Amino acid sequence: GAGVSQSPSNKVTEKGKDVELRCDPISGHTALYWYRQSLGQGLEFLIYFQGNSAPDKSGLPSDRFSAERTGGSVSTLTIQRTQQEDSAVYLCASSLAMDTEAFFGQGTRLTVV
Amino acid sequence: QKEVEQDPGPLSVPEGAIVSLNCTYSNSAFQYFMWYRQYSRKGPELLMYTYSSGNKEDGRFTAQVDKSSKYISLFIRDSQPSDSATYLCAMKAAGNKLTFGGGTRVLVKP
């Protein structure tokens, strides 16, 4: 079956522009996570959606970052006024229920020039 | 201090050897434990998922959780060059986000 799908796979943008990153979770999965991974670094938590509960936004690094999940399925991570330090791989994961296994997509590699 | 500590390596072993990886953590609320493998420029791939303490085996992989010591391990038997990757431990408390270790780079030499 289809796994977690992220688009685009690569994105180059100019400093100051806004970008939108998309995540299509595995069908039926109620939990969705966004992480960011800088070159050679570990995974930095950004935001966590679980069903209809209020999302855990505690990892968003600034108010330039926001995310939404429409209809409990697709999620979009938006970065406004991008900065060079936003360059990283943005990873999305989903899980069937709150505390079950989480499966990752291949990520979106964002480069801010 | 980080919630989850993991030696970054690199850990270099000869082909056929046992690879031993571990993580320590500080949050006693963690109940769910996962191990991921990540190849360069790829997303993390789930290897093992364990709930609470105990052992779990899947093929060449064995995961162990010792909640009393706040210590988890992953063993890879009969290692192959294709096992060369970064291994990430991850854990969560009920209803909360996944928290990751920094990853251990493993190199299996033919």
Side-chain angles (χ1 to χ4, degrees), chain B residues 18-104:
Chain B
I18 294 175
V19 176
S20 176
L21 302 164
N22 59 76
C23 291
T24 59
Y25 62 95
S26 57
N27 188 344
S28 57
F30 288 150
Q31 298 181 54
Y32 304 90
F33 304 91
M34 290 164 236
W35 284 95
Y36 290 85
R37 177 174 64 195
Q38 187 174 29
Y39 293 114
S40 181
R41 303 181 78 85
K42 298 288 188 182
E45 173 193 358
L46 180 67
L47 293 175
M48 299 289 278
Y49 168 84
T50 327
Y51 169 66
S52 196
S53 283
N55 293 359
K56 184 174 181 179
E57 191 173 316
D58 184 0
R60 297 186 297 116
F61 299 95
T62 299
Q64 291 183 349
V65 174
D66 181 348
K67 288 189 69 180
S68 62
S69 302
K70 298 190 180 71
Y71 186 90
I72 69 170
S73 302
L74 178 72
F75 300 96
I76 308 172
R77 288 182 298 282
D78 188 25
S79 58
Q80 304 296 310
S82 59
D83 294 325
S84 298
T86 296
Y87 290 80
L88 299 155
C89 64
M91 48 198 80
K92 73 194 303 290
N96 283 291
K97 64 181 187 285
L98 266 175
T99 301
F100 281 82
T104 300

Side-chain angles (χ1 to χ4, degrees), chain A residues 20-40:
Chain A
E20 283 190 354
L21 312 179
R22 178 185 170 107
C23 174
D24 282 89
I26 295 171
S27 178
H29 280 201
T30 63
L32 187 146
Y33 308 78
W34 282 99
Y35 287 82
R36 141 170 110 171
Q37 188 173 34
S38 301
L39 189 62

Side-chain angles (χ1 to χ4, degrees), chain A residues 47-90:
Chain A
I47 188 167
Y48 168 44
F49 296 90
Q50 172 51 51
N52 296 321
S53 303
D56 176 356
K57 302 180 180 181
S58 61
L60 295 177
S62 76
D63 59 8
R64 296 187 296 105
F65 288 73
S66 63
E68 63 177 22
R69 190 177 184 194
T70 53
S73 181
V74 172
S75 177
T76 303
L77 177 69
T78 301
I79 309 173
Q80 295 179 311
R81 304 181 303 281
T82 51
Q83 304 294 313
Q84 287 187 325
E85 61 262 28
D86 299 334
S87 296
V89 176
Y90 288 81

